[in-house]
Amino acid sequence: SRFLYVKPADIISGCYGTPERALKDVFDYARQGQRRTVVFFDDIDALAPSGEEAYEDVEIVVGTLLAEMDRLLDSSNVFVVGATNNLDDLDDVLQKESKFTHIVKVELPNTEEKLEIFNIHINKAEDYAKNKLFEDIDWEQVEKEIDGFSGADIVEVVRRVLEEKVKEELHGGNPSLVSTEDLLNVIQEYNSRH
């Protein structure tokens, strides 16, 4: 399948003309050819926000999106997927008159899944560096600090803790492996900012 990744900024920024023209272009391209196509709207709530968050042309954009999805009824090879972190932030009209046939809620990972996500990204970083980068981490301490973390939060924490080590080396230091304390410091700083 072809995969068309659409960010709200691509549509509402004006870089591709008016938002409704940009939306029509996405759907026209998706309908071209015989290949199965997935149109993925990331953060669709930014494209079609609820009343309080709405920008000037939101009614036109939502109307265009609904009309284009209606035109897909005769096209069995185009699938539209919209992702949002908060369904309540999505325009009411799009929710009520939506052509989305399924709503799938993805919960935050549980503690075991969070630790697995940490390990996946630690292993990926070490494979890339072809070196050990982390000490043996005390995961019991870490799990106390990551309540409410998503996979994206974990990826960002791993990136930041490694970035701190790179900065240390760039400033003439000889960085040690990432310790539990290093990881906890970055998590606590991350929590205080979010």
Side-chain angles (χ1 to χ4, degrees), residues 28-95:
D28 287 346
Y29 182 74
R31 284 188 289 267
Q32 290 176 0
Q34 300 301 310
R35 287 182 59 197
R36 194 171 273 201
T37 302
V38 176
V39 180
F40 178 74
F41 288 98
D42 198 7
D43 294 323
I44 196 167
D45 53 296
L47 183 63
S50 64
E52 309 105 44
E53 306 295 325
Y55 53 90
E56 190 174 319
D57 295 327
V58 73
E59 295 88 11
I60 296 169
V61 170
V62 170
T64 302
L65 185 57
L66 290 171
E68 289 299 323
M69 290 178 75
D70 279 343
R71 288 182 62 202
L72 291 177
L73 293 175
D74 297 332
S75 179
S76 62
N77 65 332
V78 179
F79 299 90
V80 179
V81 178
T84 178
N85 289 327
N86 189 347
L87 197 56
D88 294 335
D89 289 345
L90 188 61
D91 182 88
D92 291 338
V93 175
L94 188 60
Q95 285 187 59

Side-chain angles (χ1 to χ4, degrees), residues 165-190:
K165 294 297 180 176
V166 169
K167 285 179 184 176
E168 187 180 329
E169 186 174 5
L170 288 173
H171 289 99
N174 187 14
S176 58
L177 297 176
V178 174
S179 67
T180 301
E181 184 179 340
D182 294 329
L183 193 55
L184 290 172
N185 288 339
V186 170
I187 289 169
Q188 288 162 0
E189 180 185 335
Y190 185 80

Side-chain angles (χ1 to χ4, degrees), residues 2-191:
R2 291 186 301 171
F3 186 82
L4 305 180
Y5 176 73
V6 183
K7 297 177 290 196
D10 294 340
I11 302 298
I12 58 180
S13 69
C15 291
Y16 302 102
T18 64
E20 59 272 18
R21 178 74 257 157
L23 268 175
K24 286 180 182 181
D25 288 347
V26 166
F27 282 95
D28 287 346
Y29 182 74
R31 284 188 289 267
Q32 290 176 0
Q34 300 301 310
R35 287 182 59 197
R36 194 171 273 201
T37 302
V38 176
V39 180
F40 178 74
F41 288 98
D42 198 7
D43 294 323
I44 196 167
D45 53 296
L47 183 63
S50 64
E52 309 105 44
E53 306 295 325
Y55 53 90
E56 190 174 319
D57 295 327
V58 73
E59 295 88 11
I60 296 169
V61 170
V62 170
T64 302
L65 185 57
L66 290 171
E68 289 299 323
M69 290 178 75
D70 279 343
R71 288 182 62 202
L72 291 177
L73 293 175
D74 297 332
S75 179
S76 62
N77 65 332
V78 179
F79 299 90
V80 179
V81 178
T84 178
N85 289 327
N86 189 347
L87 197 56
D88 294 335
D89 289 345
L90 188 61
D91 182 88
D92 291 338
V93 175
L94 188 60
Q95 285 187 59
K96 291 176 186 161
E97 296 182 29
S98 179
K99 305 302 181 233
F100 295 106
T101 56
H102 297 17
I103 295 177
V104 179
K105 185 173 184 180
V106 180
E107 299 290 341
L108 289 173
N110 64 31
T111 301
E112 185 180 311
E113 292 164 340
K114 289 176 196 171
L115 297 180
E116 181 64 24
I117 294 168
F118 264 113
N119 282 310
I120 287 168
H121 290 282
I122 287 170
N123 290 335
K124 191 182 288 188
E126 290 181 339
D127 286 348
Y128 182 77
K130 294 180 178 46
N131 253 328
K132 186 163 177 61
L133 301 173
F134 289 77
E135 293 178 359
D136 290 333
I137 301 297
D138 181 346
W139 292 112
E140 284 184 24
Q141 284 188 30
V142 171
E143 72 183 56
K144 294 175 189 172
E145 302 295 326
I146 58 174
D147 188 44
F149 267 41
S150 68
D153 294 324
I154 293 167
V155 170
E156 182 62 15
V157 164
V158 171
R159 187 195 69 74
R160 287 182 185 198
V161 77
L162 291 172
E163 184 179 79
E164 290 298 318
K165 294 297 180 176
V166 169
K167 285 179 184 176
E168 187 180 329
E169 186 174 5
L170 288 173
H171 289 99
N174 187 14
S176 58
L177 297 176
V178 174
S179 67
T180 301
E181 184 179 340
D182 294 329
L183 193 55
L184 290 172
N185 288 339
V186 170
I187 289 169
Q188 288 162 0
E189 180 185 335
Y190 185 80
N191 277 333

